[in-house]
Amino acid sequence: MLLPSLPSQLDLSRPGTVPVRRKEWQLGESRSRSSSMMRQKLQGWGSGRGQALSGSVALTMSPIAILVLVFSSGCLFYSVKSHLLPTDNIDYDTGAKSFYIANDTFYKDGSPFRILGGDLHYFRVHPQYWEDRLQRAKALGLNAIQTYVPWNLHQPQPEKLNFEDGANLEGYLKLVQKLGMLVMLRIGPYICAEWDFGGFPAWLLSVRPELSLRTSDPQYLKLVDAWWDVLLPKIVPYLYCHQGPVIMVQIENEYGSFGADRSYMEHLAAKVRAVLGEEIILYTTDGAVSKNLEHGSLEGSGVYTAVDFPTEWDPATAFALQKQYNAQGNSPSLSSEFYTGWLTHWGEQLAQTDPEYTAAALDRILYLNASVVLYMLHGGTNFGFTSGSNTGSSVRDFLPDITSYDYDAPIGEAGDIDNPKFQALKAVLGRYILESPPSPPPLPMRKAFGPLQLHKLSSLFHILEYISTDPSGLHMDQPSSMESVHQISGFILYRTNLPSHAKAGSKISISKVHDRAQVFISGLVEGDETTSTRYLHVGTLERWSSDTLWLPSNVAVPGLQLDILVENMGRVNYGPFVYDPKGILSAVLLDGTPILDWISFSIPLDSIPPSVAERVSDRKTERTSRALTENSGEGNGLPFLIEGKYLVVLIMRI
């Protein structure tokens, strides 16, 4: 039988072509490392991301311181396998839900369908605002939401699973469906996403022998399989053929920019099919570069290949290349990451892209009757210590991502849409859909708090026993990584005493510290009535710059306490140096001789019990303590965003 023709709801007319406007990178000196990183991506090992950027707000480095369920209902998904094209024995009037590919077109319930999607990550938005942000997506004219699933969010420790609150994936899928939208699910296990460790859980770095990530290493695959044995059954009820919203599932992410282990990718595809079924559309995403697609796609296996590319590239050329890596007739043009903005690293200006330029680039894609996913639709926030980092040509060329993931997206970090980019993109999308999108909801009520006066409560050293996971510390011959002591995020303090050969001008050196270390030496100071401990800040050692300090004469005394406070600024999420343990990773040398006999204190800052506020109140005012304890809930740990502003003051004002 003949396949149905294009439905009337897809308006393919437009008022003429839009010429390609090309912009040169507008990069200041502070953005030179980002520019280098982007060029590397485009030259083969990267995703091919790029934008015309300009910057407006200067940033400085953040201060350190202180079931498997089995369904027998008739699923009419059709994958990109050539032998699964629709045949005459398919009854399109049965009412069964179907989403498949044929004739280089997506089909939804038997009718051609164009994906107009956007990335909106549930883990970067407070659950209270999920529905609000999704409604804004609909108001833009979108019909699908794409999201990653971070392994480290859902399994932060081997024995701990988390699908509650902001990690409630199923709740998010239900909400998307409630609003009449579809879902493209990117399940990893690696996701990149400017997210800590590219979504890998930090405990993978403590496995011995050392894992070979993103390869067919049997031990690594065993752990991936165990995680997916938890995740995949949760997805089954939400597949489109089971009346759910999920139409496609992506495996890995931009793998062709990293490796070429086809057996690894085949293992992932087979694992997903074993649980989700043979009919589900699996897809990969890679930069529209031959090398990336050759290594990252699974040509001939029935896994659909999607592409991403910079806005200044010719989309027709990119989609023509895409067709070479899909079976004949099974390559609907899809830009699975259309860059509405760009990421920002500490020390850079906030990345911004021209709204009209971005809208014109989107128009060129839609004019080709292609599908598209906006990356990002709404960036949100890297809460806590979840932001990742990038590297350049070496592991020392370190580029940590900022907490905000606003991305200069059309829906701002706080939900704002009264901006030129949202309006420009909406105008373009409106030319390709006949039904007017719904109106957006009003912005949630906001409150202006005015100036906040922050006060020092205590020194980090004075409350170390209360905020470290083990008040007595962990003894070790030489410093070891955070991951080796089962720490995910935050700070780690290494403590020892200066050895007998310490003298004025002695050189302290650490060849490998991830990521930044503050060095202190302390001793007893006698006053008129009391004796106290004074901490002298000797200097800072950084992964990307200095690795040596010299002892000043006033503290170059054998036996004085040496403290090294190391900050984890985000594990690498992209590139060849993704294996990125944190802490002191080499010997600490004094004049070339290793310093031995250390105690480490883990300070994850992930939850601080109310008792800490009570302890601090002994040192400061009852009013300050009451402000802390009133926010502590019913005996639970202080909420992270509340505790953080106080603890930052503690750390900064040592």
Side-chain angles (χ1 to χ4, degrees):
M1 64 181 286
L2 295 176
L3 292 173
S5 59
L6 284 170
S8 59
Q9 65 262 30
L10 281 180
D11 182 8
L12 301 182
S13 63
R14 63 188 289 284
T17 60
V18 177
V20 177
R21 283 176 52 200
R22 300 202 178 272
K23 274 191 176 181
E24 296 299 320
W25 292 99
Q26 299 176 3
L27 300 170
E29 183 177 351
S30 66
R31 293 195 58 82
S32 61
R33 292 199 292 172
S34 286
S35 178
S36 174
M37 180 190 72
M38 292 177 186
R39 285 196 300 270
Q40 287 173 326
K41 287 186 174 186
L42 296 178
Q43 289 168 356
W45 64 264
S47 67
R49 297 179 180 178
Q51 280 281 359
L53 301 180
S54 61
S56 61
V57 181
L59 296 174
T60 58
M61 267 298 191
S62 64
I64 182 162
I66 313 249
L67 164 175
V68 169
L69 298 176
V70 178
F71 288 81
S72 59
S73 60
C75 296
L76 290 182
F77 273 88
Y78 280 84
S79 76
V80 297
K81 293 181 179 179
S82 59
H83 65 276
L84 288 178
L85 293 177
T87 59
D88 289 343
N89 62 351
I90 295 175
D91 183 358
Y92 289 102
D93 298 323
T94 61
K97 308 285 280 185
S98 64
F99 196 91
Y100 57 90
I101 292 172
N103 296 342
D104 289 335
T105 303
F106 291 113
Y107 283 83
K108 175 177 174 283
D109 301 330
S111 297
F113 184 81
R114 190 209 300 261
I115 296 171
L116 299 175
D119 264 82
L120 202 169
H121 304 155
Y122 60 98
F123 48 89
R124 283 182 160 128
V125 181
H126 194 286
Q128 175 183 346
Y129 298 117
W130 282 351
E131 186 164 3
D132 175 88
R133 303 303 189 260
L134 290 168
Q135 288 175 330
R136 295 176 194 282
K138 290 198 69 174
L140 186 60
L142 303 185
N143 56 29
I145 295 297
Q146 184 171 251
T147 183
Y148 290 114
V149 178
W151 184 359
N152 54 10
L153 173 71
H154 296 291
Q155 193 180 22
Q157 298 290 354
E159 71 287 350
K160 181 181 179 180
L161 293 172
N162 176 29
F163 288 93
E164 303 296 327
D165 302 321
N168 186 359
L169 172 61
E170 293 179 86
Y172 187 69
L173 296 179
K174 290 176 182 177
L175 189 54
V176 176
Q177 183 176 23
K178 169 190 168 184
L179 296 175
M181 303 183 78
L182 303 172
V183 174
M184 301 166 68
L185 208 55
R186 315 173 87 177
I187 63 173
Y190 164 83
I191 63 171
C192 184
E194 290 73 59
W195 187 257
D196 186 67
F197 203 11
F200 285 133
W203 53 265
L204 293 182
L205 295 169
S206 66
V207 175
R208 293 296 179 269
E210 187 176 296
L211 297 175
S212 181
L213 302 174
R214 306 182 73 186
T215 73
S216 52
D217 172 6
Q219 183 62 15
Y220 164 67
L221 289 181
K222 180 179 179 181
L223 295 170
V224 172
D225 287 351
W227 156 233
W228 278 5
D229 284 342
V230 174
L231 175 65
L232 294 177
K234 292 180 179 292
I235 298 172
V236 172
Y238 300 96
L239 297 179
Y240 187 74
C241 65
H242 297 142
Q243 313 301 312
V246 178
I247 55 172
M248 298 170 66
V249 173
Q250 179 181 301
I251 57 172
E252 251 280 347
N253 191 59
E254 298 174 336
Y255 183 68
S257 63
F258 176 84
D261 189 342
R262 184 180 175 93
S263 62
Y264 163 57
M265 294 292 287
E266 289 176 337
H267 177 96
L268 298 182
K271 179 68 177 179
V272 176
R273 290 208 183 282
V275 181
L276 302 189
E278 285 291 327
E279 295 78 19
I280 181 66
I281 296 180
L282 301 186
Y283 69 110
T284 60
T285 291
D286 280 285
V289 177
S290 295
K291 180 181 177 182
N292 291 2
L293 290 168
E294 179 182 350
H295 294 160
S297 67
L298 281 172
E299 185 182 5
S301 69
V303 175
Y304 168 67
T305 298
V307 293
D308 56 36
F309 47 89
T311 51
E312 64 265 30
W313 283 18
D314 174 29
T317 301
F319 295 141
L321 183 61
Q322 177 191 9
K323 285 183 181 294
Q324 297 179 27
Y325 295 89
N326 282 312
Q328 184 176 1
N330 291 292
S331 191
S333 299
L334 169 63
S335 172
S336 54
E337 291 189 10
F338 172 82
Y339 301 109
T340 61
W342 195 247
L343 60 100
T344 305
H345 301 116
W346 286 108
E348 298 175 350
Q349 293 180 321
L350 291 174
Q352 294 182 322
T353 59
D354 180 76
E356 294 301 325
Y357 177 85
T358 304
L362 177 62
D363 198 20
R364 292 194 297 273
I365 290 175
L366 297 180
Y367 179 64
L368 299 174
N369 196 25
S371 291
V372 67
V373 181
L374 308 184
Y375 192 101
M376 296 290 297
L377 163 66
H378 169 62
T381 306
N382 297 316
F383 296 112
F385 295 96
T386 57
S387 58
S389 62
N390 294 288
T391 55
S393 58
S394 74
V395 70
R396 290 176 69 91
D397 189 11
F398 185 63
L399 301 161
D401 301 317
I402 64 173
T403 301
S404 170
Y405 201 63
D406 178 80
Y407 214 84
D408 196 32
I411 302 176
E413 186 172 11
D416 302 82
I417 58 174
D418 55 343
N419 61 77
K421 184 171 288 183
F422 185 94
Q423 300 306 324
L425 296 179
K426 182 177 181 180
V428 170
L429 288 164
R431 295 202 287 268
Y432 296 91
I433 55 176
L434 292 181
E435 293 185 4
S436 297
S439 298
L443 276 172
M445 185 180 68
R446 307 182 188 190
K447 183 175 182 178
F449 289 94
L452 296 177
Q453 184 66 43
L454 302 181
H455 301 279
K456 175 180 175 179
L457 303 182
S458 181
S459 161
L460 176 141
F461 294 111
H462 293 149
I463 62 170
L464 181 61
E465 62 181 297
Y466 308 122
I467 64 175
S468 61
T469 55
D470 185 348
S472 60
L474 180 65
H475 290 260
M476 55 186 65
D477 187 40
Q478 294 202 36
S480 59
S481 70
M482 279 187 175
E483 295 79 12
S484 68
V485 296
H486 311 294
Q487 182 178 349
I488 299 173
S489 61
F491 298 77
I492 183 168
L493 179 71
Y494 301 92
R495 173 171 290 173
T496 189
N497 297 103
L498 288 176
S500 59
H501 64 282
K503 61 184 183 298
S506 284
K507 182 172 67 174
I508 297 178
S509 58
I510 310 175
S511 64
K512 195 173 184 181
V513 59
H514 289 190
D515 297 304
R516 182 163 51 182
Q518 302 273 20
V519 180
F520 301 87
I521 294 178
S522 61
L524 297 178
V525 178
E526 293 186 1
D528 294 338
E529 299 180 359
T530 61
T531 299
S532 61
T533 301
R534 178 171 297 175
Y535 295 86
L536 175 68
H537 182 243
V538 177
T540 304
L541 300 172
E542 297 167 326
R543 170 178 184 160
W544 57 89
S545 58
S546 60
D547 58 10
T548 301
L549 293 172
W550 286 266
L551 285 180
S553 58
N554 58 330
V555 293
V557 180
L560 288 186
Q561 181 174 290
L562 171 64
D563 286 311
I564 304 178
L565 181 68
V566 180
E567 177 187 8
N568 170 2
M569 300 180 70
R571 294 178 183 83
V572 172
N573 58 256
Y574 187 88
F577 308 112
V578 70
Y579 196 95
D580 187 28
K582 298 301 185 179
I584 295 178
L585 308 177
S586 64
V588 179
L589 305 179
L590 185 68
D591 294 331
T593 301
I595 302 177
L596 306 178
D597 192 17
W598 294 80
I599 301 176
S600 71
F601 298 86
S602 295
I603 312 171
L605 301 183
D606 51 0
S607 63
I608 305 297
S611 59
V612 173
E614 297 169 4
R615 297 286 185 177
V616 171
S617 69
D618 293 339
R619 304 176 184 276
K620 290 295 173 182
T621 66
E622 180 180 352
R623 177 180 58 81
T624 300
S625 174
R626 185 165 58 251
L628 283 170
T629 54
E630 285 175 354
N631 286 299
S632 64
E634 299 296 327
N636 298 320
L638 292 175
F640 180 82
L641 294 179
I642 295 175
E643 76 202 22
K645 64 185 178 184
Y646 293 98
L647 289 171
V648 166
V649 178
L650 295 179
I651 299 170
M652 289 174 62
R653 300 217 179 170
I654 291 174

